[in-house]
Amino acid sequence: MSSVRLPYQFRAPVHTARLVLRAMTDEDVDDIHAYQSRPDVCRYLPFEPRSRDEVAEKIAKYSTALVLNGDGDFWQLAIERASDPGHVIGDVYFTIKDAANATCEIGWTLHPDHTGSGYMTEAAHAVLSIAFNELRLHRASARLDPRNQESAALCQRLGMRQEALFLEDLWFNGGWGDTAIYAILDREWAARAS
């Protein structure tokens, strides 16, 4: 087994063909609040629509969470289009689930005005490339509400397969909710890249 490369610091923005993934800053509060305050965006997320103050508080925390040392350490990265710098359209969550077993988890949120353009596929692909190629992790998973068909389709575009469906395993938005688990292994990721 290859050893996981930790600690690992997110130092500079990641550039893709159309996007920039970077640390969040105080200047992003209004852009992020624009989608995190929407009931339609939060319908499948583990939080209710957030006030501007709540978003500001989260960004203050996320902006300094840039070093992955071990289990539970995370990044919450802002996504902006390269053609529109300084304007956040979504974010990607990435965490080390279990360093000893080389596993991570990824998640995402995108402003509805920007869905359907492949932006989140591009952003998540960039983060998974770091996970497998730089951090040398073995397995990446995504946990989502199975009713969220857009996220399930994104998982499949990334090469992830559904591995589990837990029925009514969490109390969610006033009722019992289900959880779907999607995952991909390092060798599967490498095979897709080649």
Side-chain angles (χ1 to χ4, degrees):
M1 174 182 129
S2 63
S3 60
V4 176
R5 290 182 177 163
L6 294 176
Y8 187 93
Q9 180 164 3
F10 187 86
R11 287 190 179 84
V14 172
H15 296 265
T16 68
R18 301 177 297 161
L19 303 173
V20 178
L21 280 66
R22 59 167 176 78
M24 292 182 178
T25 70
D26 293 340
E27 288 77 42
D28 300 327
V29 172
D30 289 331
D31 287 343
I32 294 171
H33 178 251
Y35 61 87
Q36 287 193 357
S37 63
R38 294 174 57 142
D40 59 333
V41 170
C42 295
R43 175 180 33 193
Y44 303 125
L45 296 175
F47 57 84
E48 297 289 326
R50 290 176 171 159
S51 68
R52 189 181 187 284
D53 287 345
E54 288 171 322
V55 170
E57 185 180 312
K58 293 291 185 184
I59 289 174
K61 178 181 173 185
Y62 299 157
S63 65
T64 60
L66 299 175
V67 180
L68 303 173
N69 287 304
D71 298 2
D73 289 342
F74 70 94
W75 295 332
Q76 191 90 33
L77 302 175
I79 303 167
E80 59 184 39
R81 292 177 297 168
S83 63
D84 189 12
H87 179 69
V88 177
I89 64 169
D91 55 82
V92 177
Y93 170 77
F94 176 80
T95 186
I96 301 296
K97 281 191 71 173
D98 186 338
N101 288 302
T103 62
C104 64
E105 186 174 307
I106 189 170
W108 42 75
T109 312
L110 187 66
H111 193 296
D113 290 353
H114 300 285
T115 59
S117 299
Y119 291 136
M120 196 51 73
T121 303
E122 193 172 320
H125 187 278
V127 172
L128 288 175
S129 291
I130 294 170
F132 291 122
N133 301 332
E134 296 183 36
L135 292 168
R136 292 187 182 166
L137 294 170
H138 173 62
R139 173 185 155 84
S141 64
R143 175 181 304 269
L144 53 110
D145 187 315
R147 297 172 300 175
N148 187 344
Q149 296 175 354
E150 292 85 1
S151 278
L154 171 54
C155 287
Q156 292 165 356
R157 284 193 300 277
L158 293 168
M160 302 174 108
R161 78 192 145 280
Q162 184 175 334
E163 291 189 339
L165 176 61
F166 299 105
L167 300 178
E168 297 185 11
D169 66 324
L170 75 164
W171 186 256
F172 180 73
N173 289 338
W176 288 108
D178 302 338
T179 302
I181 305 294
Y182 285 77
I184 187 169
L185 301 175
D186 53 356
R187 65 177 174 271
E188 295 167 329
W189 182 261
R192 289 174 58 84
S194 63

